[in-house]
């Protein structure tokens, strides 16, 4: 098992843009709204099956296995809600990796930045383009966004 | 992907017993009652993560990956319903493998036999100890038994 410790933020502007590596991600969920999620992800040419459990706070238990892309492609059709489509940019600022996700499809307009930490109390210096922290806001979880796309609630959130 | 074509039967008596290979199986489900199931199984010393989709009839799509036993052991704790515990006996009759599952715990008393087929119309000669076919009876699915143990409904079924 890995413990995933992640903090998530809204992104205020485009100042993060640069010649960063970008991946095209398509993912879906085989579980519907449970505390445990089972995710199928195709990230560029690689594919993964990932189980995440609830631990509270920014920490979740995570079990990730690389699987054949052809399997993932078929399994994505078993997902009950629409897929999440996004482009992930690996933005490196002062040695900290920020994964900036630009969502597409029904979640277009949403941009989130995630920082993975090595322990829950790790000091994090947010760059100027980082906005409100949403780590504890379940609406910004990808598993929630798959069932309740941003387009349906963004006005209320603005 | 593999297509799993399986027929399932009740077992009438003990005539199947013999010096067959036996595995101790513990398994649980990360999904609760969806058409798609995600199963964690420990089968003797090996462990698997398995996604099964609904195809209708005796056929299901199945994606199975071997995973570290330690991961499986932890993931079984994420399962929301009690685990299925059973001993599986590999009974070979005239070249056809019958997997006879003797359930334990809350499903004790239930014995099921499964035959895996290579195509849906394959001819199958049931041995004398094979009883009623229950392929289409969802109550005998392991994912159902995890949430509704045999002990709770066996009297009604008898």
């Amino acid at each position: 098992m890995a413990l995933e410790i992640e903090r998530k933020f809204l992104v205020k502007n485009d100042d993060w843009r640069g010649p960063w590596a970008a991946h095209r991600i398509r993912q879906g969920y085989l579980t519907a709204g449970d505390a445990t999620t089972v995710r199928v992800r195709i990230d560029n040419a690689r594919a993964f099956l990932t189980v995440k459990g609830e631990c509270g706070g920014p920490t979740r238990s995570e079990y990730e296995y690389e699987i054949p892309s052809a399997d993932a492609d078929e399994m994505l059709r078993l997902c009950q809600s629409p897929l999440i489509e996004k482009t992930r940019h690996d933005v490196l600022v002062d040695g900290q990796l920020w994964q900036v996700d630009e969502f597409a499809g029904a979640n277009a307009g949403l941009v989130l930045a995630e920082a993975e930490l090595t322990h829950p109390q790790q000091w994090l210096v947010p760059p100027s383009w980082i906005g409100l922290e949403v780590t504890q806001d379940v609406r910004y979880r990808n598993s929630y966004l798959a069932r309740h796309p941003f387009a349906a609630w963004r006005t209320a959130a603005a």
Side-chain angles (χ1 to χ4, degrees), chain A residues 7-95:
Chain A
R7 290 177 65 187
K8 191 179 283 190
F9 300 84
L10 299 181
V11 170
K12 287 197 286 197
N13 56 46
D14 276 350
D15 289 356
W16 56 270
R17 289 197 189 273
W20 309 110
H23 338 208
R24 188 166 167 256
I25 292 176
R26 273 194 314 138
Q27 66 190 37
Y29 293 86
L30 295 171
T31 46
D34 302 318
T36 302
T37 59
V38 182
R39 185 184 73 198
V40 180
R41 173 183 275 181
I42 299 180
D43 181 336
N44 284 351
R46 297 174 70 191
F48 303 88
L49 182 61
T50 308
V51 175
K52 292 192 190 195
E54 201 61 76
C55 292
T59 309
R60 302 190 79 186
S61 56
E62 179 177 293
Y63 307 84
E64 183 156 76
Y65 309 102
E66 186 157 4
I67 62 172
S69 288
D71 284 10
D73 217 45
E74 290 174 5
M75 271 193 268
L76 284 178
R77 285 181 228 142
L78 298 174
C79 295
Q80 282 161 28
S81 40
L83 303 186
I84 293 282
E85 294 177 86
K86 60 187 181 182
T87 302
R88 168 163 286 185
H89 307 265
D90 295 335
V91 179
L92 200 63
V93 182
D94 296 333

